[in-house]
Amino acid sequence: MTINLTMALVLAVLYSVGFYLLMQRSLMRILLGIVILGHGSNLLLQTAGGPPAGAAMIGTTPLDEMADPLPQAMALTAIVITFALTTFLLALAYRSWTLLGHDEVRDDVEDRRIQRMERRLAESEDDSTEELAKEAAQ
């Protein structure tokens, strides 16, 4: 089985746009990124399923001409998961909008504290390294 070059390019664009939007701070952009990634996943699964073939029912189609039902079942599962995640993110975005007036994702207070602690640790290591260099030079 070979993949069409056009389909590979469409998949690459869908995944790159989806991941780009997923890395933004706005919940609506994150939501759009999830939806686009879901569409890319469905397209990838359908492309992996191969060309159209006969129904996968024994007795109606010869075994050589049957389609593989697994990619279709996985695509249906991916659709359900994407829909559930979309509704959850829509609820989060709505709640954020009603409570805060915007849908920007803020940094966690604990993350900021850890960043400050890491900066202080790095500065103290730099200072101690400079002091050791001065002592060695004397």
Side-chain angles (χ1 to χ4, degrees):
M1 180 184 91
T2 60
I3 188 168
N4 188 351
L5 181 62
T6 307
M7 202 60 69
L9 290 174
V10 168
L11 283 170
V13 167
L14 282 175
Y15 275 111
S16 60
V17 168
F19 282 122
Y20 174 76
L21 288 173
L22 200 59
M23 297 298 156
Q24 304 300 312
R25 296 185 74 76
S26 170
L27 279 175
M28 289 311 291
R29 289 186 181 188
I30 293 171
L31 174 71
L32 288 173
I34 291 289
V35 169
I36 291 173
L37 281 175
H39 288 312
S41 298
N42 292 335
L43 186 61
L44 176 68
L45 289 169
Q46 291 301 317
T47 303
M57 296 181 70
I58 297 176
T60 59
T61 309
L63 290 176
D64 299 344
E65 297 175 6
M66 282 187 189
D68 186 12
L70 183 63
Q72 296 171 9
M74 291 178 70
L76 285 174
T77 305
I79 290 169
V80 171
I81 291 170
T82 302
F83 180 71
L85 196 56
T86 300
T87 55
F88 177 70
L89 286 174
L90 274 173
L92 279 179
Y94 177 73
R95 179 116 173 118
S96 175
W97 185 264
T98 55
L99 290 178
L100 303 174
H102 59 81
D103 66 342
E104 294 291 318
V105 178
R106 294 184 292 179
D107 286 336
D108 189 19
V109 177
E110 186 69 17
D111 288 341
R112 290 184 193 156
R113 188 183 67 78
I114 291 171
Q115 286 175 351
R116 280 193 302 260
M117 191 170 49
E118 286 177 350
R119 271 191 241 123
R120 287 184 199 147
L121 183 62
E123 289 172 0
S124 66
E125 287 177 357
D126 290 341
D127 292 341
S128 64
T129 305
E130 290 174 5
E131 290 174 7
L132 288 174
K134 287 180 185 177
E135 291 175 7
Q138 293 176 355

